[in-house]
């Protein structure tokens, strides 16, 4: 089976890219399941219930997130009821929403687990020990397990890839908004990439208007972030998984101009 995993959808141009490109990509890659990180869908900060519903309508099967998930206050009520929008599983106990879900993809059941790193990020619970705690429960339901490791440090994503190699079908990174070129299937059968990249404006600074960010670097003064204008692209990967064993056999990067 094939899984399309889409990197952080950022702002209006990212949302438009998903709406326009997803039906064709699903066909082209014979994707049985589509996962997208949507935490920056609302102008770069969070996601609203309306945008989340639209992604589901457009063919996204599971949405993942990260540190920006709480930026839109109204998402708290939504995420408490909609298990197809995940927040990192290693947020402290009592946080609204869930960090993993299992869904049907054709005849198969697939689990998606969302984790978040702690290096240069908020010090939440340990993502490695959280994975250890959750995986036995997921494996009782399916051998096809996809992990979104939302992290700032490349080292933390790489470490998670090796830590989970042979225990999950894929570990893909998000959050950095720059696609890495290190995709590979690890020896234990886990497809890995440090970061899926950005789905949104290509001519900004990781999605944000470049003049604003350059001024901030020059002056160190606070600036208001606006999504960059201009061309956009969709970034992600297509992963081929043996549905019986859950082992990945291939991972290919996807970069499509919107
Ligand atoms: Fe993030």
């Amino acid at each position: 089976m094939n899984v399309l995993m889409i990197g952080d959808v950022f702002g209006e141009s990212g949302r438009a890219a998903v709406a326009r490109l997803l039906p064709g990509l699903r066909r082209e890659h014979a994707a049985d399941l589509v996962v997208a990180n949507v935490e920056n869908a609302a102008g770069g900060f969070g996601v609203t219930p309306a945008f989340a519903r639209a992604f589901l309508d457009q063919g996204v099967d599971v949405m993942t997130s990260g540190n920006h998930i709480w930026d839109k206050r109204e998402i708290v009520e939504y995420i408490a009821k909609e298990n197809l929008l995940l927040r990192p599983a290693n947020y402290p106990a009592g946080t609204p929403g869930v960090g993993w879900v299992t869904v049907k993809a054709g005849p198969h059941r697939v689990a998606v687990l969302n984790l978040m790193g702690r290096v240069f990020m908020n010090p939440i619970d340990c993502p490695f020990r959280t994975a250890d705690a959750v995986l036995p429960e997921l494996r009782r339901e399916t051998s096809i397990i996809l992990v979104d490791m939302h992290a700032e440090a490349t080292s933390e994503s790489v470490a998670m890839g090796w830590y989970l190699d042979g225990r999950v079908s894929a570990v893909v990174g998000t959050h950095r908004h720059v696609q890495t070129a290190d995709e590979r299937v690890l020896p234990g059968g886990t497809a890995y990439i440090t970061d899926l990249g950005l789905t949104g404006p290509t001519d900004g600074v990781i999605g944000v208007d470049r003049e604003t960010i350059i001024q901030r670097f020059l002056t160190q003064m606070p600036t208001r972030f606006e999504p960059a204008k201009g061309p956009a692209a969709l970034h992600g990967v297509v992963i081929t998984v043996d549905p019986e064993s859950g082992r990945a056999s291939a991972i290919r990067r996807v970069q499509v101009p919107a």
Side-chain angles (χ1 to χ4, degrees):
M1 68 177 298
N2 294 316
V3 179
L4 171 63
M5 299 190 79
I6 297 173
D8 309 35
V9 182
F10 192 103
E12 188 179 3
S13 68
R15 300 195 307 270
V18 170
R20 193 171 330 129
L21 297 172
L22 190 51
L25 286 170
R26 258 201 115 106
R27 270 194 308 278
E28 180 186 345
H29 298 287
D32 301 286
L33 188 84
V34 177
V35 179
N37 188 299
V38 301
E39 70 150 6
N40 299 120
F45 295 96
V47 58
T48 64
F51 293 152
R53 279 187 215 104
F55 287 128
L56 294 175
D57 288 345
Q58 288 156 10
V60 174
D61 296 296
V62 177
M63 298 172 284
T64 57
S65 67
N67 54 306
H68 283 293
I69 185 59
W70 311 120
D71 288 0
K72 293 282 176 277
R73 187 171 276 278
E74 59 268 36
I75 209 63
V76 173
E77 195 182 336
Y78 178 84
I79 206 170
K81 293 182 198 143
E82 179 53 85
N83 287 353
L84 297 177
L85 173 61
L86 303 179
R87 46 80 173 165
N90 52 322
Y91 268 126
T95 307
V98 294
W100 64 90
V101 70
T102 68
V103 292
K104 289 281 280 179
H108 311 296
R109 184 158 283 278
V110 180
V112 182
L113 169 62
N114 196 176
L115 297 170
M116 187 157 73
R118 299 189 294 182
V119 179
F120 312 126
M121 301 185 93
N122 286 340
I124 57 173
D125 293 348
C126 174
F128 296 87
R129 291 184 179 86
T130 299
D132 287 338
V134 170
L135 286 179
E137 186 178 328
L138 298 183
R139 287 201 77 96
R140 275 198 290 277
E141 291 196 49
T142 178
S143 55
I144 311 165
I145 303 172
L146 311 170
V147 178
D148 176 350
M149 174 62 175
H150 196 79
E152 179 79 27
T154 52
S155 60
E156 203 171 14
S157 289
V158 174
M160 185 62 79
W162 287 117
Y163 191 64
L164 298 183
D165 182 28
R167 295 199 274 162
V168 303
S169 309
V171 174
V172 302
T174 56
H175 176 73
R176 283 147 293 219
H177 298 183
V178 177
Q179 188 176 71
T180 58
D182 60 340
E183 78 280 10
R184 62 190 280 198
V185 178
L186 298 173
T190 296
Y192 177 80
I193 187 168
T194 297
D195 207 287
L196 295 175
L198 180 70
T199 295
T202 53
D203 290 1
V205 176
I206 61 171
V208 179
D209 173 67
R210 63 184 184 236
E211 286 309 321
T212 313
I213 299 297
I214 290 169
Q215 279 308 310
R216 183 150 157 158
F217 278 117
L218 286 171
T219 66
Q220 300 295 328
M221 290 174 70
T223 45
R224 192 179 149 78
F225 286 6
E226 296 286 347
K229 303 209 167 19
L234 181 148
H235 287 89
V237 294
V238 176
I239 298 166
T240 304
V241 180
D242 174 60
E244 300 311 317
S245 67
R247 287 174 68 101
S249 58
I251 174 169
R252 280 171 295 143
R253 280 186 285 139
V254 173
Q255 303 174 315
V256 192

